[in-house]
Amino acid sequence: MSIFISIAAYRDPRLWLTVADALEQAADPGALRFAVVDQSDAPAEPPAELARRAGAIHYLHLHHRFSRGPCWARSIAASYCQGEPYFLQVDAHMLFDRHWDRLLVEQLEALSARNPRAIVSTYPAPFELVDGQAVRRPLPGHALVLEPQPGVALGADSPVLAFRSRAVPARGALPGFHVGAGCLFTRSALIAEVPYDPWLYFHGEEQNLAVRAWTHGWDIHHVPDLPIYHLYHRGDGRPVHWAEGDDAARPTRWWDLERASQARLRALLYDNAYLGAYGLGRARSLQQFAEHSGIDYPNRICRAPD
């Protein structure tokens, strides 16, 4: 049962290290099919050894000067999906546990007994670079639950909220209402029903995806012992899309993209505007989402934790 893996990389020196570790740790590397959108100075084709081991590696290079942000790049990566049953979206700076693919499929299938529209997602446990070596920092027996940062509020002009992951002791999956865009595992049907919005920029990306998926009937879960790790600090030198040095040479500056993105997010979450395939679902309402999550977008109310 193949897994489609979407990776949107922005000038990331760990891109092929991430692909290599996913293959090295997989129970069935030949069942992994990657789509890599590499936004960098020059093309860096997949190393031959990785290409031989993977089921497929679809590689697209775009000069970072013409990048329009993470959501745009993720939408391009997702377009390479060819009906693989499972979908994994990760960042380009990740590590994996042994047989991570089998573990994720088993977790998802168990959750799908209640609702086949199941999503496993969070901000994963970290790994760190210690003297140049990657060191995993697992949290055994804990699920990382996503929730708004204490004290945050919905603004009049922007629905963007800051979220955090909180480690909670758990023996099984815990229900959620938010996703981590850099670590999301589900069935590929999600990207057909809830396609990535290429007109979003970055801020509010996860809220957009979580609310759209939930209103389409997808349940979000945070599972204990997730077998994926994320490099959070930027000690490896990777830049951000909105860095002034990169942005100055672009035909469209990041702030223009951000303003248009925020207007689109307001239309979706505050006004329940019709956005076609990129709009809300009909299986559940925004009012039901407010009851489930404590985040009432139309009334600008967020019951964040203390």
Side-chain angles (χ1 to χ4, degrees):
M1 299 292 283
S2 58
I3 300 175
F4 175 83
I5 304 175
S6 167
I7 303 178
Y10 184 79
R11 304 184 68 191
D12 201 313
R14 296 197 66 85
L15 167 59
W16 296 121
L17 295 173
T18 294
V19 174
D21 197 64
L23 290 166
E24 178 66 26
Q25 303 298 337
D28 187 1
L32 306 184
R33 303 177 65 87
F34 296 85
V36 174
V37 176
D38 179 15
Q39 304 153 93
S40 59
D41 295 282
E45 296 285 342
E49 173 59 24
L50 302 187
R52 283 193 295 269
R53 297 190 67 195
I57 300 180
H58 304 288
Y59 176 79
L60 176 65
H61 175 261
L62 298 165
H63 195 283
H64 64 81
R65 186 169 65 251
F66 301 107
S67 169
R68 297 181 66 85
C71 295
W72 174 80
R74 292 196 207 274
S75 73
I76 294 172
S79 72
Y80 282 90
C81 185
Q82 297 178 332
E84 295 86 353
Y86 300 107
F87 173 80
L88 174 66
Q89 182 169 278
V90 290
D91 287 335
H93 34 273
M94 315 291 281
L95 286 181
F96 302 81
D97 277 340
R98 188 71 174 162
H99 293 175
W100 63 269
D101 50 339
R102 181 181 297 164
L103 294 170
L104 284 181
V105 168
E106 289 173 353
Q107 289 172 327
L108 188 71
E109 289 300 331
L111 294 168
S112 296
R114 286 174 286 177
N115 179 4
R117 288 178 169 85
I119 297 171
V120 171
S121 185
T122 191
Y123 303 155
F127 77 90
E128 300 173 353
L129 298 177
V130 179
D131 296 328
Q133 299 299 311
V135 179
R136 294 164 174 79
R137 302 297 188 194
L139 295 164
H142 288 74
L144 289 161
V145 173
L146 300 183
E147 60 189 16
Q149 293 275 9
V152 301
L154 290 167
D157 297 324
S158 174
V160 173
L161 295 170
F163 280 75
R164 69 178 182 182
S165 63
R166 179 169 57 90
V168 177
R171 292 185 177 180
L174 301 178
F177 54 83
H178 191 64
V179 299
C183 182
L184 186 150
F185 183 69
T186 185
R187 299 182 187 278
S188 294
L190 175 72
I191 59 175
E193 292 186 18
V194 190
Y196 237 83
D197 190 338
W199 287 280
L200 287 183
Y201 177 64
F202 173 66
H203 301 98
E205 165 191 12
E206 294 167 337
Q207 291 168 257
N208 173 285
L209 188 58
V211 176
R212 289 173 58 218
W214 197 86
T215 57
H216 275 85
W218 292 78
D219 287 334
I220 300 166
H221 305 273
H222 308 309
V223 300
D225 304 316
L226 188 74
I228 301 180
Y229 303 83
H230 185 276
L231 181 64
Y232 287 96
H233 71 81
R234 298 187 176 272
D236 57 355
R238 55 190 162 93
V240 293
H241 185 274
W242 49 88
E244 179 59 30
D246 287 359
D247 197 49
R250 288 203 185 97
T252 304
R253 304 296 293 270
W254 83 268
W255 184 242
D256 294 325
L257 297 170
E258 174 69 8
R259 282 187 295 191
S261 176
Q262 287 302 305
R264 193 165 177 83
L265 200 62
R266 288 194 301 272
L268 179 81
L269 297 178
Y270 281 174
D271 304 329
N272 194 4
Y274 175 72
L275 297 178
Y278 306 108
L280 299 173
R282 296 183 178 181
R284 297 163 174 159
S285 67
L286 275 180
Q287 178 58 41
Q288 288 173 303
F289 182 81
E291 294 166 359
H292 174 62
S293 67
I295 305 173
D296 184 343
Y297 286 108
N299 293 304
R300 317 304 199 261
I301 297 170
C302 175
R303 295 195 297 275
D306 297 329

